[in-house]
Amino acid sequence: MSNQNPYATKKKFKFPHPVVLMFCIVLIVALCSYFVPAGEYARIQVDGRTVVDPNSYTRVESNPIGVMEFLLAFPTGMTAAASITFFIMIVSASFNIITETGAIKSAIGRAAVAFRSKENLMIPAVLAIFSIGGATFGMSEENVVFVPITIALARALGYDAMVGTSLAVLGAACGFCAGVINPFTIGVAQGLAELPMFSGVAYRILIWVVLVAVTSFYVMRYGKKVRLNPQSGMMYETELAERGNGIDLSQVEKITGRQKIVLAIVVAGFVFLVYGVMKLGWYVSEIAALFLGMGIVSGLVYGFTPDEIVKHFQTGIRDIANGAIMVGIARAILIVMEQSMIIDTAVHAMSGVIASLPSAISVLGMYAVQILTNFFIPSGSGQAAATMPIMVPLADVLHINRQVAVLCFQFGDGFTNSILPVSGTMMAILAMAKIPYEKWLKFAGPLVGIWIALGGVFIVAANMFGYGPLTEYPPF
């Protein structure tokens, strides 16, 4: 009989499922409604946009969240996020039809063969391409489309799903965080700050180049380790399970005539997607409709029967359903804060803290407030509408250039998006890539920390060297 104490064995900490984590966050916010004073700013219309009046904050009657209101927040959040949820489902399902034709796999095999002797060039090249999307039209939800492609390309070259996901997600994030000419963040924020649209672009290009370089080095460093020793990768067990779905570069299949037509449809669809987003003002509904059409036409061209098309469509929905639903669960956090009327109180309190800081570090205080606000308002344009009317007059009082205030917003809104559990789109992408949230946090978390530190350096430098309202070039 063993004398070993069965309770002496220490259990390894298991990170909670993202749904559990978000549920707990909603619960904490709901409990805060019982002791955080309710308050609100008056909303006014400025050039067709609803923004807050920075001088209008008043306390209102408390509205604590009861059990029923707490539970209702989840279906309400899912309803509010329906457009994004169904966008993710439709795009994933439609792309699965295209994937089943084998055209994408064959094309990626050919591309991987071309990169086979220069794998290190692939990572910065693909990262830079995706960063252009983030820098120009604010690529975010659209990443759902590309992640399966970048994962397949990475695996074909000896990397893992972590590298593949990083190519699309972190690449687009570099451009989004720099916000070179992103109309949804820089455009809205500068409009509210009464600055010329996209002014100061050269400094943001410099920031963009630095972010892409740092991120490329970070991903390449991890990728090199995985290629030398696959067991050292964070996704080793998953890669073993997915081995049969990879691409054997020694037996790359020839692209058939029908597959070439499918690829032409996909390329034309992506060109039309960029045109629609940048010129026609498309958002998730139009993009989903485009991919639905691409999927159906590609399936018919390849020779699938209507029943087979439906079968592949349903498989695509099944594979992404859990991730798509997380978008609605994440929205429940905002629902609870709005119903309890504590979101404006939080913004008001944080802006008050900034005003009390010494002027030399107040600019970093503005940066910190925007980072914290991003947890509650992950929408870029939504955060701009809520915070910029407060931060702009505060910057004037503290003698901080408005362009610097916009930079604080841009960094605060962008850097943490890649790891926030309240980002439904990020959770959906991880579900599609079969990457547990805790592993992604372990991988991307240090990089986000580096981004935040770099952001602080860029903000302090901009403030010191006069990155003013009309600055078009770096001030040094």
Side-chain angles (χ1 to χ4, degrees), residues 198-240:
F198 303 137
S199 57
V201 65
Y203 191 51
R204 294 196 299 277
I205 290 176
L206 171 65
I207 294 168
W208 173 42
V209 171
V210 172
L211 291 179
V212 170
V214 169
T215 304
S216 295
F217 175 78
Y218 187 89
V219 177
M220 288 169 65
R221 184 169 173 267
Y222 171 82
K224 181 180 180 180
K225 182 176 69 172
V226 170
R227 293 189 75 248
L228 291 175
N229 179 17
Q231 294 186 28
S232 67
M234 297 182 185
M235 299 299 296
Y236 180 65
E237 293 81 5
T238 301
E239 295 305 312
L240 287 178

mmCIF file of all heavy atoms in Angstrom, residues 198-240:
data_model
loop_
_atom_site.group_PDB
_atom_site.id
_atom_site.type_symbol
_atom_site.label_atom_id
_atom_site.label_comp_id
_atom_site.label_asym_id
_atom_site.label_seq_id
_atom_site.Cartn_x
_atom_site.Cartn_y
_atom_site.Cartn_z
ATOM 1 N N PHE A 198 -5.947 62.594 -42.606
ATOM 2 C CA PHE A 198 -4.711 61.846 -42.843
ATOM 3 C C PHE A 198 -3.452 62.708 -42.761
ATOM 4 O O PHE A 198 -2.409 62.339 -43.286
ATOM 5 C CB PHE A 198 -4.760 61.099 -44.179
ATOM 6 C CG PHE A 198 -5.918 60.154 -44.289
ATOM 7 C CD1 PHE A 198 -6.665 60.080 -45.453
ATOM 8 C CD2 PHE A 198 -6.277 59.337 -43.227
ATOM 9 C CE1 PHE A 198 -7.747 59.220 -45.546
ATOM 10 C CE2 PHE A 198 -7.350 58.466 -43.316
ATOM 11 C CZ PHE A 198 -8.088 58.414 -44.488
ATOM 12 N N SER A 199 -3.544 63.880 -42.117
ATOM 13 C CA SER A 199 -2.343 64.690 -41.910
ATOM 14 C C SER A 199 -1.375 63.955 -40.990
ATOM 15 O O SER A 199 -1.773 63.104 -40.201
ATOM 16 C CB SER A 199 -2.714 66.052 -41.311
ATOM 17 O OG SER A 199 -3.425 65.877 -40.083
ATOM 18 N N GLY A 200 -0.084 64.288 -41.118
ATOM 19 C CA GLY A 200 0.940 63.610 -40.321
ATOM 20 C C GLY A 200 1.229 62.208 -40.784
ATOM 21 O O GLY A 200 1.729 61.379 -40.026
ATOM 22 N N VAL A 201 0.921 61.907 -42.063
ATOM 23 C CA VAL A 201 1.003 60.540 -42.553
ATOM 24 C C VAL A 201 2.431 60.007 -42.566
ATOM 25 O O VAL A 201 2.656 58.804 -42.347
ATOM 26 C CB VAL A 201 0.368 60.431 -43.960
ATOM 27 C CG1 VAL A 201 1.166 61.235 -44.986
ATOM 28 C CG2 VAL A 201 0.243 58.988 -44.404
ATOM 29 N N ALA A 202 3.429 60.858 -42.812
ATOM 30 C CA ALA A 202 4.805 60.367 -42.932
ATOM 31 C C ALA A 202 5.305 59.748 -41.628
ATOM 32 O O ALA A 202 6.016 58.741 -41.641
ATOM 33 C CB ALA A 202 5.730 61.503 -43.368
ATOM 34 N N TYR A 203 4.936 60.353 -40.500
ATOM 35 C CA TYR A 203 5.356 59.805 -39.210
ATOM 36 C C TYR A 203 4.714 58.438 -38.984
ATOM 37 O O TYR A 203 5.341 57.514 -38.458
ATOM 38 C CB TYR A 203 4.977 60.777 -38.095
ATOM 39 C CG TYR A 203 5.590 60.442 -36.738
ATOM 40 C CD1 TYR A 203 6.953 60.221 -36.614
ATOM 41 C CD2 TYR A 203 4.791 60.368 -35.599
ATOM 42 C CE1 TYR A 203 7.515 59.936 -35.374
ATOM 43 C CE2 TYR A 203 5.349 60.078 -34.359
ATOM 44 C CZ TYR A 203 6.711 59.863 -34.255
ATOM 45 O OH TYR A 203 7.263 59.571 -33.038
ATOM 46 N N ARG A 204 3.463 58.301 -39.411
ATOM 47 C CA ARG A 204 2.783 57.014 -39.258
ATOM 48 C C ARG A 204 3.383 55.956 -40.187
ATOM 49 O O ARG A 204 3.365 54.763 -39.863
ATOM 50 C CB ARG A 204 1.282 57.184 -39.487
ATOM 51 C CG ARG A 204 0.610 58.042 -38.416
ATOM 52 C CD ARG A 204 -0.910 57.887 -38.428
ATOM 53 N NE ARG A 204 -1.497 58.303 -39.693
ATOM 54 C CZ ARG A 204 -1.785 59.567 -40.010
ATOM 55 N NH1 ARG A 204 -1.536 60.544 -39.147
ATOM 56 N NH2 ARG A 204 -2.324 59.870 -41.168
ATOM 57 N N ILE A 205 3.891 56.366 -41.345
ATOM 58 C CA ILE A 205 4.576 55.412 -42.222
ATOM 59 C C ILE A 205 5.848 54.891 -41.544
ATOM 60 O O ILE A 205 6.160 53.695 -41.604
ATOM 61 C CB ILE A 205 4.909 56.066 -43.585
ATOM 62 C CG1 ILE A 205 3.611 56.310 -44.377
ATOM 63 C CG2 ILE A 205 5.869 55.187 -44.389
ATOM 64 C CD1 ILE A 205 3.819 57.046 -45.683
ATOM 65 N N LEU A 206 6.569 55.804 -40.892
ATOM 66 C CA LEU A 206 7.756 55.385 -40.140
ATOM 67 C C LEU A 206 7.378 54.373 -39.064
ATOM 68 O O LEU A 206 8.052 53.339 -38.890
ATOM 69 C CB LEU A 206 8.425 56.611 -39.510
ATOM 70 C CG LEU A 206 9.567 56.327 -38.515
ATOM 71 C CD1 LEU A 206 10.738 55.664 -39.227
ATOM 72 C CD2 LEU A 206 10.014 57.621 -37.838
ATOM 73 N N ILE A 207 6.308 54.639 -38.348
ATOM 74 C CA ILE A 207 5.838 53.724 -37.300
ATOM 75 C C ILE A 207 5.476 52.376 -37.915
ATOM 76 O O ILE A 207 5.803 51.314 -37.364
ATOM 77 C CB ILE A 207 4.622 54.339 -36.575
ATOM 78 C CG1 ILE A 207 5.051 55.594 -35.799
ATOM 79 C CG2 ILE A 207 3.973 53.324 -35.637
ATOM 80 C CD1 ILE A 207 3.899 56.429 -35.298
ATOM 81 N N TRP A 208 4.800 52.405 -39.037
ATOM 82 C CA TRP A 208 4.383 51.188 -39.746
ATOM 83 C C TRP A 208 5.597 50.326 -40.104
ATOM 84 O O TRP A 208 5.607 49.115 -39.859
ATOM 85 C CB TRP A 208 3.591 51.611 -40.985
ATOM 86 C CG TRP A 208 3.222 50.520 -41.937
ATOM 87 C CD1 TRP A 208 2.770 49.264 -41.634
ATOM 88 C CD2 TRP A 208 3.258 50.584 -43.363
ATOM 89 N NE1 TRP A 208 2.511 48.548 -42.775
ATOM 90 C CE2 TRP A 208 2.805 49.341 -43.856
ATOM 91 C CE3 TRP A 208 3.613 51.581 -44.272
ATOM 92 C CZ2 TRP A 208 2.705 49.065 -45.221
ATOM 93 C CZ3 TRP A 208 3.502 51.303 -45.638
ATOM 94 C CH2 TRP A 208 3.061 50.062 -46.094
ATOM 95 N N VAL A 209 6.628 50.943 -40.660
ATOM 96 C CA VAL A 209 7.830 50.209 -41.051
ATOM 97 C C VAL A 209 8.480 49.558 -39.831
ATOM 98 O O VAL A 209 8.884 48.382 -39.873
ATOM 99 C CB VAL A 209 8.830 51.152 -41.753
ATOM 100 C CG1 VAL A 209 10.173 50.452 -41.964
ATOM 101 C CG2 VAL A 209 8.268 51.621 -43.095
ATOM 102 N N VAL A 210 8.562 50.295 -38.729
ATOM 103 C CA VAL A 210 9.176 49.756 -37.510
ATOM 104 C C VAL A 210 8.361 48.573 -36.977
ATOM 105 O O VAL A 210 8.930 47.530 -36.607
ATOM 106 C CB VAL A 210 9.301 50.852 -36.430
ATOM 107 C CG1 VAL A 210 9.745 50.243 -35.099
ATOM 108 C CG2 VAL A 210 10.284 51.928 -36.872
ATOM 109 N N LEU A 211 7.041 48.704 -36.945
ATOM 110 C CA LEU A 211 6.188 47.626 -36.438
ATOM 111 C C LEU A 211 6.307 46.372 -37.289
ATOM 112 O O LEU A 211 6.384 45.248 -36.764
ATOM 113 C CB LEU A 211 4.737 48.091 -36.372
ATOM 114 C CG LEU A 211 4.392 49.149 -35.323
ATOM 115 C CD1 LEU A 211 2.922 49.529 -35.410
ATOM 116 C CD2 LEU A 211 4.716 48.654 -33.916
ATOM 117 N N VAL A 212 6.322 46.524 -38.611
ATOM 118 C CA VAL A 212 6.446 45.359 -39.495
ATOM 119 C C VAL A 212 7.806 44.694 -39.297
ATOM 120 O O VAL A 212 7.899 43.454 -39.244
ATOM 121 C CB VAL A 212 6.253 45.776 -40.969
ATOM 122 C CG1 VAL A 212 6.620 44.615 -41.911
ATOM 123 C CG2 VAL A 212 4.816 46.208 -41.225
ATOM 124 N N ALA A 213 8.869 45.487 -39.163
ATOM 125 C CA ALA A 213 10.212 44.929 -38.979
ATOM 126 C C ALA A 213 10.311 44.159 -37.663
ATOM 127 O O ALA A 213 10.816 43.025 -37.627
ATOM 128 C CB ALA A 213 11.247 46.057 -39.019
ATOM 129 N N VAL A 214 9.830 44.754 -36.582
ATOM 130 C CA VAL A 214 9.890 44.105 -35.264
ATOM 131 C C VAL A 214 9.054 42.831 -35.255
ATOM 132 O O VAL A 214 9.484 41.782 -34.751
ATOM 133 C CB VAL A 214 9.408 45.078 -34.166
ATOM 134 C CG1 VAL A 214 9.219 44.341 -32.842
ATOM 135 C CG2 VAL A 214 10.408 46.213 -33.992
ATOM 136 N N THR A 215 7.860 42.893 -35.831
ATOM 137 C CA THR A 215 6.967 41.731 -35.842
ATOM 138 C C THR A 215 7.526 40.619 -36.717
ATOM 139 O O THR A 215 7.436 39.432 -36.359
ATOM 140 C CB THR A 215 5.570 42.148 -36.337
ATOM 141 O OG1 THR A 215 5.084 43.211 -35.514
ATOM 142 C CG2 THR A 215 4.597 40.975 -36.273
ATOM 143 N N SER A 216 8.113 40.969 -37.850
ATOM 144 C CA SER A 216 8.714 39.964 -38.726
ATOM 145 C C SER A 216 9.839 39.228 -38.000
ATOM 146 O O SER A 216 9.922 37.992 -38.049
ATOM 147 C CB SER A 216 9.257 40.631 -39.995
ATOM 148 O OG SER A 216 8.218 41.193 -40.765
ATOM 149 N N PHE A 217 10.687 39.972 -37.310
ATOM 150 C CA PHE A 217 11.782 39.352 -36.558
ATOM 151 C C PHE A 217 11.231 38.415 -35.486
ATOM 152 O O PHE A 217 11.741 37.301 -35.289
ATOM 153 C CB PHE A 217 12.660 40.430 -35.919
ATOM 154 C CG PHE A 217 13.748 39.886 -35.036
ATOM 155 C CD1 PHE A 217 14.908 39.350 -35.581
ATOM 156 C CD2 PHE A 217 13.605 39.882 -33.656
ATOM 157 C CE1 PHE A 217 15.910 38.835 -34.771
ATOM 158 C CE2 PHE A 217 14.591 39.366 -32.831
ATOM 159 C CZ PHE A 217 15.750 38.842 -33.390
ATOM 160 N N TYR A 218 10.185 38.851 -34.804
ATOM 161 C CA TYR A 218 9.595 38.072 -33.710
ATOM 162 C C TYR A 218 9.035 36.749 -34.247
ATOM 163 O O TYR A 218 9.285 35.673 -33.675
ATOM 164 C CB TYR A 218 8.491 38.892 -33.054
ATOM 165 C CG TYR A 218 7.901 38.279 -31.800
ATOM 166 C CD1 TYR A 218 8.443 38.547 -30.544
ATOM 167 C CD2 TYR A 218 6.791 37.444 -31.859
ATOM 168 C CE1 TYR A 218 7.894 37.993 -29.389
ATOM 169 C CE2 TYR A 218 6.240 36.886 -30.722
ATOM 170 C CZ TYR A 218 6.794 37.162 -29.487
ATOM 171 O OH TYR A 218 6.251 36.599 -28.357
ATOM 172 N N VAL A 219 8.270 36.817 -35.334
ATOM 173 C CA VAL A 219 7.656 35.606 -35.898
ATOM 174 C C VAL A 219 8.718 34.712 -36.526
ATOM 175 O O VAL A 219 8.663 33.478 -36.396
ATOM 176 C CB VAL A 219 6.571 35.986 -36.929
ATOM 177 C CG1 VAL A 219 5.982 34.730 -37.569
ATOM 178 C CG2 VAL A 219 5.463 36.797 -36.273
ATOM 179 N N MET A 220 9.711 35.307 -37.197
ATOM 180 C CA MET A 220 10.783 34.519 -37.812
ATOM 181 C C MET A 220 11.579 33.763 -36.753
ATOM 182 O O MET A 220 11.995 32.620 -36.972
ATOM 183 C CB MET A 220 11.702 35.437 -38.614
ATOM 184 C CG MET A 220 11.086 35.965 -39.901
ATOM 185 S SD MET A 220 12.072 37.279 -40.656
ATOM 186 C CE MET A 220 13.561 36.377 -41.088
ATOM 187 N N ARG A 221 11.793 34.397 -35.616
ATOM 188 C CA ARG A 221 12.552 33.761 -34.528
ATOM 189 C C ARG A 221 11.825 32.515 -34.028
ATOM 190 O O ARG A 221 12.443 31.456 -33.833
ATOM 191 C CB ARG A 221 12.742 34.765 -33.396
ATOM 192 C CG ARG A 221 13.585 34.290 -32.230
ATOM 193 C CD ARG A 221 13.922 35.468 -31.319
ATOM 194 N NE ARG A 221 14.583 35.047 -30.099
ATOM 195 C CZ ARG A 221 13.946 34.779 -28.959
ATOM 196 N NH1 ARG A 221 12.627 34.897 -28.895
ATOM 197 N NH2 ARG A 221 14.621 34.396 -27.894
ATOM 198 N N TYR A 222 10.511 32.641 -33.840
ATOM 199 C CA TYR A 222 9.731 31.478 -33.420
ATOM 200 C C TYR A 222 9.684 30.433 -34.538
ATOM 201 O O TYR A 222 9.832 29.230 -34.293
ATOM 202 C CB TYR A 222 8.310 31.911 -33.038
ATOM 203 C CG TYR A 222 7.363 30.748 -32.807
ATOM 204 C CD1 TYR A 222 7.336 30.074 -31.593
ATOM 205 C CD2 TYR A 222 6.503 30.317 -33.811
ATOM 206 C CE1 TYR A 222 6.483 29.001 -31.387
ATOM 207 C CE2 TYR A 222 5.638 29.245 -33.613
ATOM 208 C CZ TYR A 222 5.630 28.592 -32.404
ATOM 209 O OH TYR A 222 4.788 27.531 -32.207
ATOM 210 N N GLY A 223 9.460 30.891 -35.769
ATOM 211 C CA GLY A 223 9.367 29.972 -36.899
ATOM 212 C C GLY A 223 10.633 29.165 -37.112
ATOM 213 O O GLY A 223 10.575 27.971 -37.427
ATOM 214 N N LYS A 224 11.790 29.792 -36.938
ATOM 215 C CA LYS A 224 13.061 29.078 -37.088
ATOM 216 C C LYS A 224 13.163 27.959 -36.064
ATOM 217 O O LYS A 224 13.616 26.847 -36.371
ATOM 218 C CB LYS A 224 14.222 30.061 -36.943
ATOM 219 C CG LYS A 224 15.587 29.416 -37.109
ATOM 220 C CD LYS A 224 16.706 30.455 -36.961
ATOM 221 C CE LYS A 224 18.074 29.806 -37.123
ATOM 222 N NZ LYS A 224 19.173 30.801 -36.976
ATOM 223 N N LYS A 225 12.715 28.235 -34.845
ATOM 224 C CA LYS A 225 12.758 27.222 -33.789
ATOM 225 C C LYS A 225 11.865 26.031 -34.144
ATOM 226 O O LYS A 225 12.249 24.869 -33.947
ATOM 227 C CB LYS A 225 12.310 27.853 -32.463
ATOM 228 C CG LYS A 225 12.358 26.915 -31.277
ATOM 229 C CD LYS A 225 11.994 27.637 -29.990
ATOM 230 C CE LYS A 225 10.529 28.031 -29.958
ATOM 231 N NZ LYS A 225 10.125 28.571 -28.635
ATOM 232 N N VAL A 226 10.693 26.314 -34.706
ATOM 233 C CA VAL A 226 9.754 25.246 -35.069
ATOM 234 C C VAL A 226 10.301 24.398 -36.209
ATOM 235 O O VAL A 226 10.179 23.163 -36.209
ATOM 236 C CB VAL A 226 8.387 25.854 -35.455
ATOM 237 C CG1 VAL A 226 7.475 24.791 -36.056
ATOM 238 C CG2 VAL A 226 7.727 26.483 -34.240
ATOM 239 N N ARG A 227 10.928 25.034 -37.196
ATOM 240 C CA ARG A 227 11.458 24.286 -38.333
ATOM 241 C C ARG A 227 12.623 23.396 -37.914
ATOM 242 O O ARG A 227 12.799 22.291 -38.444
ATOM 243 C CB ARG A 227 11.893 25.238 -39.442
ATOM 244 C CG ARG A 227 10.732 25.978 -40.090
ATOM 245 C CD ARG A 227 11.143 26.758 -41.328
ATOM 246 N NE ARG A 227 11.355 25.851 -42.442
ATOM 247 C CZ ARG A 227 12.532 25.599 -43.004
ATOM 248 N NH1 ARG A 227 13.623 26.187 -42.525
ATOM 249 N NH2 ARG A 227 12.648 24.777 -44.009
ATOM 250 N N LEU A 228 13.435 23.873 -36.976
ATOM 251 C CA LEU A 228 14.575 23.078 -36.518
ATOM 252 C C LEU A 228 14.126 21.929 -35.623
ATOM 253 O O LEU A 228 14.700 20.838 -35.665
ATOM 254 C CB LEU A 228 15.570 23.972 -35.767
ATOM 255 C CG LEU A 228 16.330 24.996 -36.620
ATOM 256 C CD1 LEU A 228 17.190 25.887 -35.733
ATOM 257 C CD2 LEU A 228 17.200 24.286 -37.662
ATOM 258 N N ASN A 229 13.090 22.178 -34.816
ATOM 259 C CA ASN A 229 12.599 21.152 -33.890
ATOM 260 C C ASN A 229 11.091 21.322 -33.722
ATOM 261 O O ASN A 229 10.647 22.102 -32.875
ATOM 262 C CB ASN A 229 13.303 21.263 -32.542
ATOM 263 C CG ASN A 229 12.805 20.226 -31.540
ATOM 264 O OD1 ASN A 229 12.167 19.240 -31.917
ATOM 265 N ND2 ASN A 229 13.084 20.455 -30.258
ATOM 266 N N PRO A 230 10.292 20.622 -34.526
ATOM 267 C CA PRO A 230 8.830 20.780 -34.458
ATOM 268 C C PRO A 230 8.252 20.578 -33.066
ATOM 269 O O PRO A 230 7.243 21.185 -32.717
ATOM 270 C CB PRO A 230 8.315 19.705 -35.430
ATOM 271 C CG PRO A 230 9.451 19.506 -36.398
ATOM 272 C CD PRO A 230 10.692 19.689 -35.588
ATOM 273 N N GLN A 231 8.902 19.725 -32.246
ATOM 274 C CA GLN A 231 8.385 19.469 -30.907
ATOM 275 C C GLN A 231 8.494 20.689 -29.995
ATOM 276 O O GLN A 231 7.827 20.763 -28.962
ATOM 277 C CB GLN A 231 9.124 18.287 -30.276
ATOM 278 C CG GLN A 231 8.875 16.964 -30.979
ATOM 279 C CD GLN A 231 9.493 15.795 -30.246
ATOM 280 O OE1 GLN A 231 9.655 15.831 -29.031
ATOM 281 N NE2 GLN A 231 9.859 14.756 -30.974
ATOM 282 N N SER A 232 9.330 21.651 -30.369
ATOM 283 C CA SER A 232 9.476 22.861 -29.554
ATOM 284 C C SER A 232 8.361 23.860 -29.806
ATOM 285 O O SER A 232 8.230 24.836 -29.073
ATOM 286 C CB SER A 232 10.832 23.523 -29.841
ATOM 287 O OG SER A 232 10.869 24.035 -31.164
ATOM 288 N N GLY A 233 7.559 23.631 -30.831
ATOM 289 C CA GLY A 233 6.474 24.545 -31.150
ATOM 290 C C GLY A 233 5.307 24.421 -30.199
ATOM 291 O O GLY A 233 5.057 23.345 -29.631
ATOM 292 N N MET A 234 4.579 25.503 -30.006
ATOM 293 C CA MET A 234 3.417 25.494 -29.102
ATOM 294 C C MET A 234 2.273 24.660 -29.653
ATOM 295 O O MET A 234 1.384 24.255 -28.912
ATOM 296 C CB MET A 234 2.932 26.928 -28.870
ATOM 297 C CG MET A 234 3.928 27.828 -28.175
ATOM 298 S SD MET A 234 3.234 29.486 -27.911
ATOM 299 C CE MET A 234 4.670 30.331 -27.235
ATOM 300 N N MET A 235 2.275 24.405 -30.965
ATOM 301 C CA MET A 235 1.151 23.717 -31.600
ATOM 302 C C MET A 235 1.523 22.304 -32.044
ATOM 303 O O MET A 235 0.873 21.751 -32.944
ATOM 304 C CB MET A 235 0.680 24.537 -32.809
ATOM 305 C CG MET A 235 0.190 25.925 -32.482
ATOM 306 S SD MET A 235 -1.234 25.883 -31.373
ATOM 307 C CE MET A 235 -2.427 25.057 -32.393
ATOM 308 N N TYR A 236 2.518 21.708 -31.419
ATOM 309 C CA TYR A 236 3.030 20.419 -31.899
ATOM 310 C C TYR A 236 1.942 19.342 -31.939
ATOM 311 O O TYR A 236 1.806 18.624 -32.937
ATOM 312 C CB TYR A 236 4.197 19.957 -31.019
ATOM 313 C CG TYR A 236 4.777 18.622 -31.446
ATOM 314 C CD1 TYR A 236 5.406 18.490 -32.679
ATOM 315 C CD2 TYR A 236 4.679 17.505 -30.619
ATOM 316 C CE1 TYR A 236 5.935 17.268 -33.083
ATOM 317 C CE2 TYR A 236 5.201 16.279 -31.014
ATOM 318 C CZ TYR A 236 5.829 16.171 -32.241
ATOM 319 O OH TYR A 236 6.341 14.958 -32.654
ATOM 320 N N GLU A 237 1.152 19.213 -30.877
ATOM 321 C CA GLU A 237 0.119 18.180 -30.841
ATOM 322 C C GLU A 237 -0.917 18.415 -31.935
ATOM 323 O O GLU A 237 -1.356 17.474 -32.615
ATOM 324 C CB GLU A 237 -0.584 18.155 -29.472
ATOM 325 C CG GLU A 237 0.294 17.721 -28.314
ATOM 326 C CD GLU A 237 1.179 18.847 -27.795
ATOM 327 O OE1 GLU A 237 1.028 20.000 -28.287
ATOM 328 O OE2 GLU A 237 2.022 18.582 -26.922
ATOM 329 N N THR A 238 -1.300 19.659 -32.119
ATOM 330 C CA THR A 238 -2.270 19.973 -33.167
ATOM 331 C C THR A 238 -1.690 19.670 -34.542
ATOM 332 O O THR A 238 -2.390 19.149 -35.429
ATOM 333 C CB THR A 238 -2.683 21.460 -33.101
ATOM 334 O OG1 THR A 238 -3.252 21.727 -31.819
ATOM 335 C CG2 THR A 238 -3.694 21.811 -34.182
ATOM 336 N N GLU A 239 -0.423 19.998 -34.738
ATOM 337 C CA GLU A 239 0.205 19.752 -36.035
ATOM 338 C C GLU A 239 0.264 18.260 -36.336
ATOM 339 O O GLU A 239 0.101 17.847 -37.494
ATOM 340 C CB GLU A 239 1.613 20.354 -36.063
ATOM 341 C CG GLU A 239 1.647 21.868 -35.962
ATOM 342 C CD GLU A 239 0.806 22.544 -37.033
ATOM 343 O OE1 GLU A 239 0.928 22.180 -38.224
ATOM 344 O OE2 GLU A 239 0.005 23.434 -36.686
ATOM 345 N N LEU A 240 0.460 17.436 -35.320
ATOM 346 C CA LEU A 240 0.438 15.991 -35.535
ATOM 347 C C LEU A 240 -0.940 15.534 -36.010
ATOM 348 O O LEU A 240 -1.063 14.714 -36.926
ATOM 349 C CB LEU A 240 0.813 15.259 -34.240
ATOM 350 C CG LEU A 240 2.281 15.305 -33.802
ATOM 351 C CD1 LEU A 240 2.450 14.565 -32.477
ATOM 352 C CD2 LEU A 240 3.193 14.708 -34.872
#
